[in-house]
Amino acid sequence: MAQSEQVQKRSIGFYSADPSKHTPLEDTQGIFISAMTVALGLYFLNQVGLLTSGTAGVAFLLHYAFDLPFGLLFFLVNLPFYYLSFKRLGLGFSLKTFVAILVVSVITELERRFLVIEYLDPFWAALLGGILIGYGLLGMYRHRASLGGIGILAIYLQDRFKIPAGLVQLGFDLCVMVAAFFVVSPVTVLWSLVSAVVLNLLLTINHRSDRYIVVR
């Protein structure tokens, strides 16, 4: 492509020539597609009654315990973390995270109208759910967004009290899984752990600060 054409496209906001930055159009499509991917992973888990890690796991627990809409619960559970996000990670990151959570919450409620699954093995749901949520999160990180939640609190506690963020996340997830024993069966907790391990391994292997720069 000629340099003049590149300049023209750049001038009307199609893409950014700087690989570490994105135009509003790039951010919009990237966050939307990532939210669709996460929502599909959550839908698979929900179809067989599984949980996952983080605030989504808390939303699943409340959903199974009180039969309330998961999308609404997921949105509400994340509300307390927006202030921390704004203080620690800035307005741009917080706004995109808010939009990402809102889109995921809405799509998870609409999913059942467009997709009906007659049979889904729990192991396959755990595997696919973890992979899809992981890839969706990677996409959000690429566009400097997230699904909020405990990750923001973990970063804050690490900076303020020198508690490793990984330990905070692990401790929170263990609490979610222990609480799950009071709501779902032990087998369901086991498959949920499989999904959480797949998700966290995918992020650990693929998330690198030189590839996915969440904060600048």
Side-chain angles (χ1 to χ4, degrees):
M1 182 180 291
Q3 185 176 359
S4 60
E5 292 178 315
Q6 291 181 338
V7 172
Q8 182 182 11
K9 279 198 170 185
R10 201 161 53 238
S11 67
I12 58 178
F14 279 2
Y15 77 100
S16 170
D18 185 344
S20 67
K21 296 180 180 179
H22 296 95
T23 65
L25 177 62
E26 288 174 320
D27 279 339
T28 298
Q29 61 87 31
I31 291 173
F32 179 76
I33 292 173
S34 299
M36 288 281 291
T37 305
V38 170
L40 182 59
L42 293 173
Y43 179 73
F44 285 156
L45 297 181
N46 192 20
Q47 285 295 292
V48 293
L50 300 186
L51 302 95
T52 188
S53 59
T55 50
V58 175
F60 270 130
L61 275 179
L62 296 174
H63 168 65
Y64 296 143
F66 303 106
D67 196 28
L68 296 172
F70 170 80
L72 175 62
L73 291 170
F74 181 62
F75 181 79
L76 294 177
V77 166
N78 277 288
L79 284 178
F81 298 99
Y82 290 132
Y83 176 75
L84 266 181
S85 175
F86 173 73
K87 296 293 289 185
R88 297 297 308 168
L89 303 176
L91 179 61
F93 176 85
S94 300
L95 286 176
K96 285 189 281 190
T97 294
F98 179 86
V99 170
I101 293 172
L102 179 62
V103 174
V104 169
S105 300
V106 171
I107 293 175
T108 51
E109 291 304 307
L110 295 176
E111 202 95 57
R112 69 192 69 178
R113 300 184 181 183
F114 301 98
L115 180 61
V116 177
I117 300 176
E118 294 185 2
Y119 174 76
L120 182 60
D121 184 83
F123 168 72
W124 203 242
L127 183 62
L128 284 179
I131 290 172
L132 288 169
I133 295 171
Y135 270 110
L137 284 172
L138 286 174
M140 290 182 185
Y141 295 161
R142 178 177 173 82
H143 292 273
R144 300 192 182 93
S146 77
L147 287 181
I150 195 64
I152 295 172
L153 177 61
I155 294 173
Y156 171 77
L157 292 177
Q158 178 173 273
D159 291 346
R160 182 73 183 271
F161 302 106
K162 307 304 179 184
I163 303 173
L167 289 181
V168 175
Q169 182 77 50
L170 177 62
F172 182 85
D173 289 345
L174 288 176
C175 290
V176 170
M177 293 304 170
V178 169
F181 281 105
F182 298 95
V183 180
V184 296
S185 69
V187 174
T188 297
V189 177
L190 175 62
W191 289 127
S192 299
L193 281 171
V194 170
S195 176
V197 168
V198 169
L199 165 60
N200 284 292
L201 279 177
L202 191 149
L203 291 178
T204 300
I205 294 171
N206 292 281
H207 181 259
R208 285 173 34 183
S209 59
D210 58 336
R211 290 178 180 169
Y212 303 98
I213 309 169
V214 179
V215 187
R216 283 185 67 110

